[in-house]
Amino acid sequence: MNSLPTHMLAVLLNGHGGPDNLQYTQDAPVPTVLDNDVLIRVFAAGVNNTDINTRTGWYSKGDNDSDDAGWSGNALALPRIQGADVCGEIVAVGANVSSKRIGERVLVEPCLSYAEGEVKKPAWYLGSECDGGFAQYTRVDARHAYAIQSSLSNIELASFPCSYSTAENMLTKANVGEQDTVLISGASGGVGSAAIQLAKARGANVIAITSESKRQQILDLGADQAVTRNDDLIQSLGHNSVDVVIDLVAGEKWPVFLEVLRPGGRYAVSGAIGGALVELDIRTLYLKDLSFFGCTVLQPEVFGNLVKRIEQGQIKPLVAQSFPLHEIATAQETFAQKQHVGKIVLSIAN
């Protein structure tokens, strides 16, 4: 095996705010591998809302105060290498990891229950509490690096980890099955388009909320019905018409989700791109016996199940566009315009 370099290409986040806080460098230190770690040569890394939210300080509840702007509610250690979606190859292992793993192509589980030789409670997130994939190399605990056998390209595989594991986690916590009718908001985004495929893989009936311009693409993806953001959901679907809401939007129209849920329905949320503050009539919650699920930390079985679905061809990648690592600001600007369906991915030069 060739000796590893001591420095690498990377994008450093140096502060909270605009893309000017992102610094492309050619001499970031290659991570040091701890006993339980693997070192991964990164081939491709997807762009996600969480990258931009962390950069801007959106997770802070104190007017973007840096004291609680990390994914876990703590301050972010800067500079930080972001990037939660990683497809790469193991090139070195720690003392407690079998050397047979060297050479494996892997996907990295972005929600980290193990890091730095410790159990993390709350869990860390790759690219927030520790350095991630916007670099030539990254390290994680070996338990979070999943070998994958697939004919898909590295860029295609990098579209899966964050969005698809988030979607699979929501469906898992809401216990979605083949008898369910599932309403998905933000259906054209990375998580929403993943949720459509994963819900259909479970045999569910899927209703997707999207824009008129993306309606046909969403139907082609597998949704049984598509409604637009401006439609009156009660008029279109009816009161008590869906079993599960998978919500990535929230915002001012949020109360209608509870109106279309059947008694005993389940609501799962993992995003608030339409606005984080909503109005809840608590009577609707208890009189309809609704169950609410906040979905952040992945259930133990989620990522392994996702890898199996990829290997079995049950879900397909949706790559809208790819950019080289040094064009990360353009990639994030394109992502923020929300004109695409699926994922935007960075290719990493090695």
Side-chain angles (χ1 to χ4, degrees):
M1 184 182 70
N2 295 330
S3 60
L4 295 170
T6 57
H7 292 79
M8 64 181 182
L9 305 175
V11 173
L12 305 179
L13 175 66
N14 290 314
H16 295 293
D20 56 306
N21 287 282
L22 298 172
Q23 175 195 354
Y24 179 74
T25 179
Q26 299 184 47
D27 61 356
V30 171
T32 300
V33 178
L34 303 181
D35 286 349
N36 296 321
D37 289 346
V38 294
L39 182 69
I40 298 169
R41 178 184 289 118
V42 180
F43 295 144
V47 175
N48 292 286
N49 273 317
T50 190
D51 306 318
I52 298 173
N53 291 343
T54 300
R55 168 169 58 77
T56 61
W58 183 86
Y59 291 117
S60 170
K61 295 182 180 179
D63 193 25
N64 294 355
D65 188 333
S66 61
D67 289 343
D68 68 340
W71 181 85
S72 63
N74 298 312
L76 202 67
L78 299 172
R80 171 64 72 223
I81 298 172
Q82 295 186 280
D85 275 329
V86 171
C87 172
E89 177 188 10
I90 294 176
V91 293
V93 298
N96 295 336
V97 183
S98 171
S99 61
K100 293 180 180 179
R101 296 208 62 185
I102 294 175
E104 285 182 359
R105 186 160 70 148
V106 294
L107 291 181
V108 177
E109 181 179 22
C111 185
L112 306 176
S113 297
Y114 302 92
E116 298 185 339
E118 300 176 343
V119 176
K120 295 299 181 182
K121 292 185 178 181
W124 283 9
Y125 211 76
L126 190 65
S128 179
E129 283 65 45
C130 60
D131 287 339
F134 293 161
Q136 285 181 296
Y137 296 89
T138 192
R139 69 175 171 103
V140 295
D141 189 289
R143 283 165 284 199
H144 294 296
Y146 285 70
I148 185 161
Q149 302 295 325
S150 174
S151 61
L152 295 174
S153 71
N154 296 318
I155 286 176
E156 289 172 324
L157 286 175
S159 70
F160 286 117
C162 184
S163 294
Y164 282 73
S165 66
T166 298
E168 179 70 7
N169 193 47
M170 297 173 80
L171 297 167
T172 298
K173 294 190 76 171
N175 195 28
V176 171
E178 62 183 9
Q179 302 300 320
D180 289 324
T181 294
V182 180
L183 177 65
I184 301 171
S185 71
S188 63
V191 180
S193 57
I196 292 172
Q197 293 192 65
L198 290 163
K200 291 303 298 179
R202 289 166 176 255
N205 179 66
V206 172
I207 305 169
I209 304 174
T210 187
S211 63
E212 182 61 41
S213 64
K214 299 173 183 175
R215 186 174 182 276
Q216 189 57 51
Q217 289 173 278
I218 293 304
L219 291 172
D220 292 343
L221 187 58
D224 298 284
Q225 182 178 350
V227 295
T228 72
R229 301 182 188 118
N230 296 322
D231 287 344
D232 183 325
L233 288 184
I234 295 176
Q235 182 177 357
S236 298
L237 306 179
H239 284 282
N240 303 333
S241 55
V242 304
D243 301 288
V244 179
V245 170
I246 299 296
D247 187 19
L248 306 158
V249 175
E252 63 181 13
K253 295 183 179 180
W254 183 85
V256 76
F257 290 146
L258 307 193
E259 296 300 325
V260 298
L261 274 171
R262 295 188 177 110
R266 293 98 73 195
Y267 168 87
V269 61
S270 190
I273 59 175
L277 300 181
V278 299
E279 184 175 292
L280 169 63
D281 185 334
I282 202 71
R283 294 168 296 184
T284 305
L285 172 59
Y286 76 79
L287 289 173
K288 293 182 74 170
D289 287 299
L290 301 178
S291 297
F292 281 17
F293 300 95
C295 303
T296 295
V297 176
L298 301 184
Q299 299 296 288
E301 69 273 25
V302 163
F303 205 79
N305 288 342
L306 175 62
V307 169
K308 290 177 184 176
R309 291 191 187 279
I310 297 169
E311 292 181 331
Q312 294 168 4
Q314 295 181 1
I315 52 179
K316 62 182 181 179
L318 291 173
V319 177
Q321 199 169 352
S322 64
F323 295 84
L325 179 63
H326 68 271
E327 293 184 13
I328 185 171
T330 302
Q332 289 192 354
E333 180 182 359
T334 302
F335 180 93
Q337 291 172 356
K338 303 297 183 185
Q339 298 302 307
H340 60 286
V341 175
K343 292 298 295 286
I344 290 173
V345 180
L346 297 172
S347 60
I348 313 298
N350 281 285

